[in-house]
Amino acid sequence: MNNDAISAALTAIRNGNTRRRATIRIPATKVIGRIVQILAEEGFIKDAVKRKDNGKEFPDVSLRYLGKKKDPYIAVIKRISKPGLRVYSDRRQIPKILGGMGIATSSPSHGLVTDREARHRKIGGEILRHIW
């Protein structure tokens, strides 16, 4: 059993990209649902549809690819803050990923937000992941 659902979801997305899968299925939690929503809003994935299977919810995530060779749209997806080592950032020290081309997801008390939204709202928090 995996205790870290966020790492399991990010690994499933990373593995789906390397295997060039059209859709992947990951277990649903509120945090993972918000992470998938942010990925869809930022254009890293096509969409996510919630399905029920044997009484459990699973978001079916449609991955996005470039060109005829199906190059993955997500180059790197990296977990930053882990259960054994939490990484927090002040509102003035929120990282810019690749000069704004990528996104960092932070978890302030207001819920999950992107790095741009956190800078705009002037709030810091726990840095969960980087993606570009």
Side-chain angles (χ1 to χ4, degrees):
M1 170 143 175
N2 192 354
N3 292 333
D4 190 10
I6 297 172
S7 288
L10 297 180
T11 301
I13 292 171
R14 188 179 311 114
N15 290 343
N17 262 339
T18 57
R19 300 284 306 208
R20 289 175 171 64
R21 301 275 186 216
T23 61
I24 59 168
R25 178 175 280 189
I26 53 179
T29 64
K30 288 182 182 180
V31 174
I32 292 174
R34 179 65 181 136
I35 287 173
V36 169
Q37 181 184 3
I38 288 173
L39 288 175
E41 288 171 359
E42 295 291 326
F44 286 103
I45 61 173
K46 287 182 186 176
D47 64 346
V49 179
K50 285 192 177 183
R51 310 270 172 157
K52 280 200 173 191
D53 190 19
N54 295 332
K56 294 182 181 180
E57 275 193 9
F58 294 94
D60 284 343
V61 178
S62 298
L63 298 176
R64 193 171 167 191
Y65 297 99
L66 296 171
K68 292 181 181 178
K69 292 183 179 180
K70 289 185 97 174
D71 293 326
Y73 196 79
I74 297 173
V76 175
I77 187 165
K78 191 189 307 186
R79 177 77 194 259
I80 303 301
S81 185
K82 301 172 184 167
L85 178 64
R86 302 291 183 184
V87 177
Y88 295 94
S89 178
D90 189 322
R91 66 180 178 92
R92 292 179 293 275
Q93 297 170 339
I94 296 172
K96 255 191 178 173
I97 310 304
L98 288 178
M101 296 294 289
I103 60 171
T105 304
S106 97
S107 176
S109 59
H110 307 297
L112 262 60
V113 294
T114 63
D115 56 342
R116 285 182 287 257
E117 190 175 345
R119 269 190 231 95
H120 178 71
R121 289 181 173 181
K122 297 182 180 173
I123 52 177
E126 181 181 2
I127 305 298
L128 292 178
R129 63 166 177 79
H130 293 168
I131 185 170
W132 65 85

mmCIF file of all heavy atoms in Angstrom, residues 54-99:
data_model
loop_
_atom_site.group_PDB
_atom_site.id
_atom_site.type_symbol
_atom_site.label_atom_id
_atom_site.label_comp_id
_atom_site.label_asym_id
_atom_site.label_seq_id
_atom_site.Cartn_x
_atom_site.Cartn_y
_atom_site.Cartn_z
ATOM 1 N N ASN A 54 -16.655 -0.203 -9.179
ATOM 2 C CA ASN A 54 -16.818 -0.949 -7.930
ATOM 3 C C ASN A 54 -16.964 -0.038 -6.718
ATOM 4 O O ASN A 54 -16.403 -0.286 -5.663
ATOM 5 C CB ASN A 54 -15.655 -1.919 -7.722
ATOM 6 C CG ASN A 54 -15.615 -2.998 -8.759
ATOM 7 O OD1 ASN A 54 -16.647 -3.365 -9.316
ATOM 8 N ND2 ASN A 54 -14.429 -3.503 -9.046
ATOM 9 N N GLY A 55 -17.687 1.046 -6.874
ATOM 10 C CA GLY A 55 -17.954 1.958 -5.772
ATOM 11 C C GLY A 55 -16.842 2.952 -5.484
ATOM 12 O O GLY A 55 -16.961 3.763 -4.576
ATOM 13 N N LYS A 56 -15.728 2.916 -6.212
ATOM 14 C CA LYS A 56 -14.624 3.853 -6.014
ATOM 15 C C LYS A 56 -14.533 4.793 -7.201
ATOM 16 O O LYS A 56 -14.800 4.408 -8.329
ATOM 17 C CB LYS A 56 -13.306 3.105 -5.860
ATOM 18 C CG LYS A 56 -13.238 2.259 -4.613
ATOM 19 C CD LYS A 56 -11.894 1.600 -4.514
ATOM 20 C CE LYS A 56 -11.825 0.739 -3.277
ATOM 21 N NZ LYS A 56 -10.530 0.073 -3.153
ATOM 22 N N GLU A 57 -14.154 6.034 -6.924
ATOM 23 C CA GLU A 57 -13.990 7.020 -7.991
ATOM 24 C C GLU A 57 -12.556 7.015 -8.496
ATOM 25 O O GLU A 57 -11.614 6.911 -7.718
ATOM 26 C CB GLU A 57 -14.340 8.416 -7.488
ATOM 27 C CG GLU A 57 -15.800 8.729 -7.549
ATOM 28 C CD GLU A 57 -16.075 10.208 -7.343
ATOM 29 O OE1 GLU A 57 -15.129 11.012 -7.321
ATOM 30 O OE2 GLU A 57 -17.245 10.543 -7.216
ATOM 31 N N PHE A 58 -12.425 7.140 -9.805
ATOM 32 C CA PHE A 58 -11.127 7.223 -10.458
ATOM 33 C C PHE A 58 -11.204 8.295 -11.534
ATOM 34 O O PHE A 58 -12.076 8.209 -12.400
ATOM 35 C CB PHE A 58 -10.764 5.898 -11.139
ATOM 36 C CG PHE A 58 -10.540 4.773 -10.194
ATOM 37 C CD1 PHE A 58 -11.568 3.905 -9.881
ATOM 38 C CD2 PHE A 58 -9.306 4.582 -9.621
ATOM 39 C CE1 PHE A 58 -11.367 2.857 -9.021
ATOM 40 C CE2 PHE A 58 -9.089 3.531 -8.752
ATOM 41 C CZ PHE A 58 -10.128 2.667 -8.440
ATOM 42 N N PRO A 59 -10.300 9.289 -11.519
ATOM 43 C CA PRO A 59 -10.253 10.183 -12.678
ATOM 44 C C PRO A 59 -9.505 9.519 -13.825
ATOM 45 O O PRO A 59 -8.393 9.028 -13.647
ATOM 46 C CB PRO A 59 -9.509 11.413 -12.157
ATOM 47 C CG PRO A 59 -8.860 11.020 -10.895
ATOM 48 C CD PRO A 59 -9.479 9.761 -10.420
ATOM 49 N N ASP A 60 -10.131 9.442 -14.976
ATOM 50 C CA ASP A 60 -9.466 8.977 -16.193
ATOM 51 C C ASP A 60 -8.836 10.199 -16.856
ATOM 52 O O ASP A 60 -9.537 11.069 -17.364
ATOM 53 C CB ASP A 60 -10.455 8.311 -17.147
ATOM 54 C CG ASP A 60 -10.829 6.919 -16.701
ATOM 55 O OD1 ASP A 60 -10.108 6.342 -15.868
ATOM 56 O OD2 ASP A 60 -11.852 6.395 -17.185
ATOM 57 N N VAL A 61 -7.528 10.264 -16.851
ATOM 58 C CA VAL A 61 -6.780 11.419 -17.339
ATOM 59 C C VAL A 61 -6.365 11.163 -18.771
ATOM 60 O O VAL A 61 -5.698 10.165 -19.066
ATOM 61 C CB VAL A 61 -5.538 11.676 -16.455
ATOM 62 C CG1 VAL A 61 -4.742 12.842 -16.976
ATOM 63 C CG2 VAL A 61 -5.951 11.912 -15.017
ATOM 64 N N SER A 62 -6.764 12.056 -19.689
ATOM 65 C CA SER A 62 -6.356 11.971 -21.091
ATOM 66 C C SER A 62 -5.076 12.772 -21.268
ATOM 67 O O SER A 62 -5.066 13.983 -21.076
ATOM 68 C CB SER A 62 -7.435 12.534 -22.010
ATOM 69 O OG SER A 62 -8.613 11.794 -21.876
ATOM 70 N N LEU A 63 -3.999 12.091 -21.619
ATOM 71 C CA LEU A 63 -2.698 12.738 -21.760
ATOM 72 C C LEU A 63 -2.584 13.437 -23.111
ATOM 73 O O LEU A 63 -3.268 13.095 -24.064
ATOM 74 C CB LEU A 63 -1.591 11.707 -21.593
ATOM 75 C CG LEU A 63 -1.553 11.019 -20.231
ATOM 76 C CD1 LEU A 63 -0.486 9.946 -20.223
ATOM 77 C CD2 LEU A 63 -1.320 12.013 -19.123
ATOM 78 N N ARG A 64 -1.697 14.409 -23.166
ATOM 79 C CA ARG A 64 -1.517 15.222 -24.360
ATOM 80 C C ARG A 64 -0.133 14.957 -24.950
ATOM 81 O O ARG A 64 0.842 14.843 -24.219
ATOM 82 C CB ARG A 64 -1.639 16.684 -23.945
ATOM 83 C CG ARG A 64 -1.789 17.637 -25.050
ATOM 84 C CD ARG A 64 -2.130 18.998 -24.493
ATOM 85 N NE ARG A 64 -1.982 19.961 -25.547
ATOM 86 C CZ ARG A 64 -1.993 21.252 -25.371
ATOM 87 N NH1 ARG A 64 -2.158 21.749 -24.175
ATOM 88 N NH2 ARG A 64 -1.856 22.056 -26.382
ATOM 89 N N TYR A 65 -0.054 14.881 -26.285
ATOM 90 C CA TYR A 65 1.205 14.606 -26.971
ATOM 91 C C TYR A 65 1.411 15.612 -28.097
ATOM 92 O O TYR A 65 0.473 16.227 -28.589
ATOM 93 C CB TYR A 65 1.224 13.182 -27.526
ATOM 94 C CG TYR A 65 1.142 12.138 -26.447
ATOM 95 C CD1 TYR A 65 -0.066 11.523 -26.143
ATOM 96 C CD2 TYR A 65 2.265 11.797 -25.723
ATOM 97 C CE1 TYR A 65 -0.142 10.580 -25.137
ATOM 98 C CE2 TYR A 65 2.200 10.855 -24.713
ATOM 99 C CZ TYR A 65 0.991 10.258 -24.424
ATOM 100 O OH TYR A 65 0.915 9.329 -23.422
ATOM 101 N N LEU A 66 2.673 15.722 -28.547
ATOM 102 C CA LEU A 66 3.036 16.657 -29.615
ATOM 103 C C LEU A 66 3.377 15.899 -30.887
ATOM 104 O O LEU A 66 4.138 14.930 -30.847
ATOM 105 C CB LEU A 66 4.266 17.478 -29.199
ATOM 106 C CG LEU A 66 4.103 18.392 -27.995
ATOM 107 C CD1 LEU A 66 5.461 18.946 -27.593
ATOM 108 C CD2 LEU A 66 3.153 19.517 -28.306
ATOM 109 N N GLY A 67 2.851 16.335 -32.000
ATOM 110 C CA GLY A 67 3.233 15.818 -33.306
ATOM 111 C C GLY A 67 2.827 14.384 -33.588
ATOM 112 O O GLY A 67 2.113 13.747 -32.828
ATOM 113 N N LYS A 68 3.301 13.896 -34.719
ATOM 114 C CA LYS A 68 2.973 12.541 -35.154
ATOM 115 C C LYS A 68 3.759 11.481 -34.381
ATOM 116 O O LYS A 68 3.338 10.345 -34.274
ATOM 117 C CB LYS A 68 3.238 12.392 -36.648
ATOM 118 C CG LYS A 68 2.301 13.200 -37.492
ATOM 119 C CD LYS A 68 2.577 13.012 -38.954
ATOM 120 C CE LYS A 68 1.615 13.864 -39.777
ATOM 121 N NZ LYS A 68 1.879 13.734 -41.212
ATOM 122 N N LYS A 69 4.913 11.852 -33.858
ATOM 123 C CA LYS A 69 5.726 10.908 -33.103
ATOM 124 C C LYS A 69 5.200 10.697 -31.684
ATOM 125 O O LYS A 69 5.707 9.858 -30.968
ATOM 126 C CB LYS A 69 7.167 11.396 -33.017
ATOM 127 C CG LYS A 69 7.895 11.390 -34.323
ATOM 128 C CD LYS A 69 9.318 11.812 -34.120
ATOM 129 C CE LYS A 69 10.092 11.810 -35.404
ATOM 130 N NZ LYS A 69 11.472 12.225 -35.222
ATOM 131 N N LYS A 70 4.205 11.455 -31.321
ATOM 132 C CA LYS A 70 3.625 11.393 -29.983
ATOM 133 C C LYS A 70 4.669 11.669 -28.906
ATOM 134 O O LYS A 70 4.849 10.899 -27.974
ATOM 135 C CB LYS A 70 2.931 10.049 -29.744
ATOM 136 C CG LYS A 70 1.660 9.879 -30.532
ATOM 137 C CD LYS A 70 0.986 8.604 -30.167
ATOM 138 C CE LYS A 70 -0.071 8.907 -29.144
ATOM 139 N NZ LYS A 70 -0.892 7.751 -28.807
ATOM 140 N N ASP A 71 5.382 12.792 -29.067
ATOM 141 C CA ASP A 71 6.307 13.210 -28.021
ATOM 142 C C ASP A 71 5.505 13.703 -26.831
ATOM 143 O O ASP A 71 4.541 14.457 -26.995
ATOM 144 C CB ASP A 71 7.212 14.333 -28.534
ATOM 145 C CG ASP A 71 8.151 13.855 -29.631
ATOM 146 O OD1 ASP A 71 8.575 12.684 -29.550
ATOM 147 O OD2 ASP A 71 8.449 14.641 -30.541
ATOM 148 N N PRO A 72 5.876 13.322 -25.612
ATOM 149 C CA PRO A 72 5.111 13.738 -24.437
ATOM 150 C C PRO A 72 5.111 15.244 -24.261
ATOM 151 O O PRO A 72 6.121 15.909 -24.448
ATOM 152 C CB PRO A 72 5.832 13.065 -23.279
ATOM 153 C CG PRO A 72 6.623 11.974 -23.881
ATOM 154 C CD PRO A 72 6.948 12.407 -25.271
ATOM 155 N N TYR A 73 3.947 15.787 -23.927
ATOM 156 C CA TYR A 73 3.816 17.218 -23.685
ATOM 157 C C TYR A 73 4.458 17.588 -22.352
ATOM 158 O O TYR A 73 4.982 18.671 -22.187
ATOM 159 C CB TYR A 73 2.335 17.603 -23.704
ATOM 160 C CG TYR A 73 2.100 19.079 -23.843
ATOM 161 C CD1 TYR A 73 2.199 19.700 -25.072
ATOM 162 C CD2 TYR A 73 1.789 19.861 -22.742
ATOM 163 C CE1 TYR A 73 1.993 21.043 -25.215
ATOM 164 C CE2 TYR A 73 1.581 21.218 -22.867
ATOM 165 C CZ TYR A 73 1.685 21.804 -24.100
ATOM 166 O OH TYR A 73 1.499 23.145 -24.235
ATOM 167 N N ILE A 74 4.406 16.669 -21.393
ATOM 168 C CA ILE A 74 5.026 16.890 -20.088
ATOM 169 C C ILE A 74 6.433 16.327 -20.153
ATOM 170 O O ILE A 74 6.632 15.123 -20.284
ATOM 171 C CB ILE A 74 4.221 16.202 -18.976
ATOM 172 C CG1 ILE A 74 2.822 16.798 -18.889
ATOM 173 C CG2 ILE A 74 4.940 16.339 -17.642
ATOM 174 C CD1 ILE A 74 1.909 16.064 -17.936
ATOM 175 N N ALA A 75 7.431 17.206 -20.068
ATOM 176 C CA ALA A 75 8.822 16.750 -20.116
ATOM 177 C C ALA A 75 9.261 16.224 -18.753
ATOM 178 O O ALA A 75 9.853 15.154 -18.658
ATOM 179 C CB ALA A 75 9.731 17.888 -20.560
ATOM 180 N N VAL A 76 8.995 16.976 -17.700
ATOM 181 C CA VAL A 76 9.413 16.598 -16.352
ATOM 182 C C VAL A 76 8.284 16.896 -15.385
ATOM 183 O O VAL A 76 7.675 17.965 -15.437
ATOM 184 C CB VAL A 76 10.671 17.383 -15.922
ATOM 185 C CG1 VAL A 76 11.039 17.074 -14.484
ATOM 186 C CG2 VAL A 76 11.835 17.076 -16.842
ATOM 187 N N ILE A 77 7.989 15.946 -14.528
ATOM 188 C CA ILE A 77 7.034 16.142 -13.447
ATOM 189 C C ILE A 77 7.726 15.624 -12.193
ATOM 190 O O ILE A 77 8.116 14.464 -12.122
ATOM 191 C CB ILE A 77 5.686 15.461 -13.734
ATOM 192 C CG1 ILE A 77 4.661 15.800 -12.690
ATOM 193 C CG2 ILE A 77 5.824 13.984 -13.907
ATOM 194 C CD1 ILE A 77 3.240 15.471 -13.103
ATOM 195 N N LYS A 78 7.965 16.519 -11.218
ATOM 196 C CA LYS A 78 8.816 16.195 -10.092
ATOM 197 C C LYS A 78 8.141 16.542 -8.771
ATOM 198 O O LYS A 78 7.603 17.647 -8.620
ATOM 199 C CB LYS A 78 10.108 16.999 -10.220
ATOM 200 C CG LYS A 78 11.205 16.578 -9.280
ATOM 201 C CD LYS A 78 12.385 17.531 -9.282
ATOM 202 C CE LYS A 78 12.961 17.836 -10.624
ATOM 203 N NZ LYS A 78 14.182 18.654 -10.540
ATOM 204 N N ARG A 79 8.141 15.618 -7.831
ATOM 205 C CA ARG A 79 7.603 15.857 -6.488
ATOM 206 C C ARG A 79 8.667 16.575 -5.674
ATOM 207 O O ARG A 79 9.806 16.136 -5.596
ATOM 208 C CB ARG A 79 7.230 14.518 -5.837
ATOM 209 C CG ARG A 79 6.720 14.627 -4.417
ATOM 210 C CD ARG A 79 5.284 15.126 -4.418
ATOM 211 N NE ARG A 79 4.860 15.556 -3.116
ATOM 212 C CZ ARG A 79 4.106 14.862 -2.294
ATOM 213 N NH1 ARG A 79 3.676 13.683 -2.656
ATOM 214 N NH2 ARG A 79 3.745 15.338 -1.131
ATOM 215 N N ILE A 80 8.309 17.683 -5.046
ATOM 216 C CA ILE A 80 9.264 18.475 -4.274
ATOM 217 C C ILE A 80 9.102 18.204 -2.785
ATOM 218 O O ILE A 80 10.001 17.730 -2.129
ATOM 219 C CB ILE A 80 9.112 19.979 -4.575
ATOM 220 C CG1 ILE A 80 9.292 20.244 -6.071
ATOM 221 C CG2 ILE A 80 10.089 20.808 -3.758
ATOM 222 C CD1 ILE A 80 10.615 19.828 -6.640
ATOM 223 N N SER A 81 7.944 18.503 -2.241
ATOM 224 C CA SER A 81 7.680 18.295 -0.829
ATOM 225 C C SER A 81 7.170 16.875 -0.626
ATOM 226 O O SER A 81 6.222 16.449 -1.269
ATOM 227 C CB SER A 81 6.646 19.304 -0.346
ATOM 228 O OG SER A 81 6.466 19.201 1.045
ATOM 229 N N LYS A 82 7.818 16.132 0.261
ATOM 230 C CA LYS A 82 7.478 14.733 0.498
ATOM 231 C C LYS A 82 7.040 14.565 1.947
ATOM 232 O O LYS A 82 7.282 15.431 2.776
ATOM 233 C CB LYS A 82 8.693 13.860 0.209
ATOM 234 C CG LYS A 82 9.187 14.006 -1.207
ATOM 235 C CD LYS A 82 10.492 13.302 -1.416
ATOM 236 C CE LYS A 82 10.969 13.591 -2.830
ATOM 237 N NZ LYS A 82 12.333 13.217 -3.055
ATOM 238 N N PRO A 83 6.419 13.442 2.286
ATOM 239 C CA PRO A 83 6.012 13.237 3.676
ATOM 240 C C PRO A 83 7.180 13.277 4.661
ATOM 241 O O PRO A 83 7.031 13.726 5.792
ATOM 242 C CB PRO A 83 5.367 11.856 3.664
ATOM 243 C CG PRO A 83 4.874 11.694 2.286
ATOM 244 C CD PRO A 83 5.876 12.395 1.421
ATOM 245 N N GLY A 84 8.369 12.851 4.250
ATOM 246 C CA GLY A 84 9.523 12.864 5.138
ATOM 247 C C GLY A 84 10.273 14.172 5.158
ATOM 248 O O GLY A 84 11.070 14.432 6.059
ATOM 249 N N LEU A 85 10.062 15.026 4.172
ATOM 250 C CA LEU A 85 10.763 16.303 4.081
ATOM 251 C C LEU A 85 9.836 17.323 3.426
ATOM 252 O O LEU A 85 9.692 17.363 2.200
ATOM 253 C CB LEU A 85 12.050 16.158 3.252
ATOM 254 C CG LEU A 85 12.857 17.439 3.053
ATOM 255 C CD1 LEU A 85 13.385 17.948 4.394
ATOM 256 C CD2 LEU A 85 13.987 17.208 2.087
ATOM 257 N N ARG A 86 9.220 18.143 4.235
ATOM 258 C CA ARG A 86 8.323 19.169 3.722
ATOM 259 C C ARG A 86 9.137 20.382 3.280
ATOM 260 O O ARG A 86 10.101 20.770 3.944
ATOM 261 C CB ARG A 86 7.320 19.605 4.797
ATOM 262 C CG ARG A 86 6.474 18.490 5.348
ATOM 263 C CD ARG A 86 5.514 18.006 4.326
ATOM 264 N NE ARG A 86 4.648 16.972 4.891
ATOM 265 C CZ ARG A 86 3.764 16.309 4.223
ATOM 266 N NH1 ARG A 86 3.589 16.539 2.954
ATOM 267 N NH2 ARG A 86 3.040 15.391 4.810
ATOM 268 N N VAL A 87 8.746 20.980 2.164
ATOM 269 C CA VAL A 87 9.428 22.147 1.626
ATOM 270 C C VAL A 87 8.414 23.287 1.572
ATOM 271 O O VAL A 87 7.407 23.192 0.868
ATOM 272 C CB VAL A 87 9.999 21.876 0.213
ATOM 273 C CG1 VAL A 87 10.643 23.123 -0.357
ATOM 274 C CG2 VAL A 87 10.980 20.733 0.258
ATOM 275 N N TYR A 88 8.697 24.344 2.334
ATOM 276 C CA TYR A 88 7.813 25.496 2.392
ATOM 277 C C TYR A 88 8.491 26.690 1.747
ATOM 278 O O TYR A 88 9.718 26.773 1.698
ATOM 279 C CB TYR A 88 7.451 25.833 3.842
ATOM 280 C CG TYR A 88 6.641 24.757 4.504
ATOM 281 C CD1 TYR A 88 7.247 23.759 5.258
ATOM 282 C CD2 TYR A 88 5.269 24.714 4.363
ATOM 283 C CE1 TYR A 88 6.510 22.753 5.856
ATOM 284 C CE2 TYR A 88 4.515 23.715 4.953
ATOM 285 C CZ TYR A 88 5.147 22.739 5.699
ATOM 286 O OH TYR A 88 4.411 21.751 6.281
ATOM 287 N N SER A 89 7.682 27.617 1.267
ATOM 288 C CA SER A 89 8.213 28.804 0.617
ATOM 289 C C SER A 89 7.432 30.035 1.065
ATOM 290 O O SER A 89 6.205 29.997 1.154
ATOM 291 C CB SER A 89 8.113 28.659 -0.897
ATOM 292 O OG SER A 89 8.573 29.813 -1.526
ATOM 293 N N ASP A 90 8.168 31.076 1.323
ATOM 294 C CA ASP A 90 7.572 32.367 1.640
ATOM 295 C C ASP A 90 6.993 32.944 0.354
ATOM 296 O O ASP A 90 7.367 32.547 -0.742
ATOM 297 C CB ASP A 90 8.674 33.285 2.186
ATOM 298 C CG ASP A 90 8.141 34.583 2.748
ATOM 299 O OD1 ASP A 90 7.185 35.127 2.162
ATOM 300 O OD2 ASP A 90 8.668 35.055 3.758
ATOM 301 N N ARG A 91 6.103 33.906 0.472
ATOM 302 C CA ARG A 91 5.483 34.482 -0.726
ATOM 303 C C ARG A 91 6.503 35.163 -1.625
ATOM 304 O O ARG A 91 6.309 35.262 -2.830
ATOM 305 C CB ARG A 91 4.378 35.465 -0.343
ATOM 306 C CG ARG A 91 4.862 36.697 0.366
ATOM 307 C CD ARG A 91 3.682 37.598 0.711
ATOM 308 N NE ARG A 91 4.115 38.770 1.436
ATOM 309 C CZ ARG A 91 4.433 39.909 0.865
ATOM 310 N NH1 ARG A 91 4.355 40.031 -0.435
ATOM 311 N NH2 ARG A 91 4.817 40.933 1.588
ATOM 312 N N ARG A 92 7.619 35.619 -1.061
ATOM 313 C CA ARG A 92 8.649 36.284 -1.863
ATOM 314 C C ARG A 92 9.621 35.298 -2.497
ATOM 315 O O ARG A 92 10.398 35.672 -3.365
ATOM 316 C CB ARG A 92 9.417 37.281 -0.989
ATOM 317 C CG ARG A 92 8.575 38.456 -0.551
ATOM 318 C CD ARG A 92 9.359 39.405 0.330
ATOM 319 N NE ARG A 92 9.719 38.818 1.614
ATOM 320 C CZ ARG A 92 8.941 38.792 2.692
ATOM 321 N NH1 ARG A 92 7.733 39.319 2.636
ATOM 322 N NH2 ARG A 92 9.345 38.254 3.812
ATOM 323 N N GLN A 93 9.603 34.034 -2.067
ATOM 324 C CA GLN A 93 10.568 33.054 -2.554
ATOM 325 C C GLN A 93 9.919 31.931 -3.351
ATOM 326 O O GLN A 93 10.502 30.872 -3.514
ATOM 327 C CB GLN A 93 11.324 32.461 -1.367
ATOM 328 C CG GLN A 93 12.123 33.482 -0.618
ATOM 329 C CD GLN A 93 12.667 32.914 0.678
ATOM 330 O OE1 GLN A 93 12.157 31.938 1.199
ATOM 331 N NE2 GLN A 93 13.705 33.552 1.195
ATOM 332 N N ILE A 94 8.722 32.134 -3.856
ATOM 333 C CA ILE A 94 8.057 31.108 -4.661
ATOM 334 C C ILE A 94 8.841 30.941 -5.960
ATOM 335 O O ILE A 94 9.116 31.918 -6.659
ATOM 336 C CB ILE A 94 6.590 31.498 -4.954
ATOM 337 C CG1 ILE A 94 5.818 31.561 -3.642
ATOM 338 C CG2 ILE A 94 5.947 30.523 -5.919
ATOM 339 C CD1 ILE A 94 4.429 32.110 -3.782
ATOM 340 N N PRO A 95 9.251 29.713 -6.300
ATOM 341 C CA PRO A 95 10.118 29.513 -7.466
ATOM 342 C C PRO A 95 9.386 29.753 -8.784
ATOM 343 O O PRO A 95 8.205 29.470 -8.915
ATOM 344 C CB PRO A 95 10.540 28.049 -7.337
ATOM 345 C CG PRO A 95 9.451 27.408 -6.573
ATOM 346 C CD PRO A 95 8.928 28.451 -5.631
ATOM 347 N N LYS A 96 10.146 30.283 -9.752
ATOM 348 C CA LYS A 96 9.663 30.395 -11.133
ATOM 349 C C LYS A 96 10.289 29.248 -11.904
ATOM 350 O O LYS A 96 11.502 29.113 -11.945
ATOM 351 C CB LYS A 96 10.096 31.727 -11.744
ATOM 352 C CG LYS A 96 8.992 32.717 -11.847
ATOM 353 C CD LYS A 96 9.409 33.887 -12.696
ATOM 354 C CE LYS A 96 8.222 34.806 -12.781
ATOM 355 N NZ LYS A 96 8.516 36.042 -13.432
ATOM 356 N N ILE A 97 9.465 28.431 -12.501
ATOM 357 C CA ILE A 97 9.955 27.248 -13.196
ATOM 358 C C ILE A 97 10.201 27.578 -14.666
ATOM 359 O O ILE A 97 9.277 27.975 -15.380
ATOM 360 C CB ILE A 97 8.939 26.087 -13.072
ATOM 361 C CG1 ILE A 97 8.524 25.882 -11.623
ATOM 362 C CG2 ILE A 97 9.498 24.816 -13.677
ATOM 363 C CD1 ILE A 97 9.654 25.628 -10.661
ATOM 364 N N LEU A 98 11.431 27.420 -15.106
ATOM 365 C CA LEU A 98 11.854 27.723 -16.484
ATOM 366 C C LEU A 98 11.405 29.110 -16.931
ATOM 367 O O LEU A 98 10.902 29.291 -18.037
ATOM 368 C CB LEU A 98 11.325 26.671 -17.458
ATOM 369 C CG LEU A 98 11.981 25.307 -17.396
ATOM 370 C CD1 LEU A 98 11.304 24.379 -18.384
ATOM 371 C CD2 LEU A 98 13.450 25.393 -17.692
ATOM 372 N N GLY A 99 11.550 30.081 -16.063
ATOM 373 C CA GLY A 99 11.195 31.456 -16.408
ATOM 374 C C GLY A 99 9.713 31.647 -16.664
ATOM 375 O O GLY A 99 9.318 32.532 -17.402
#
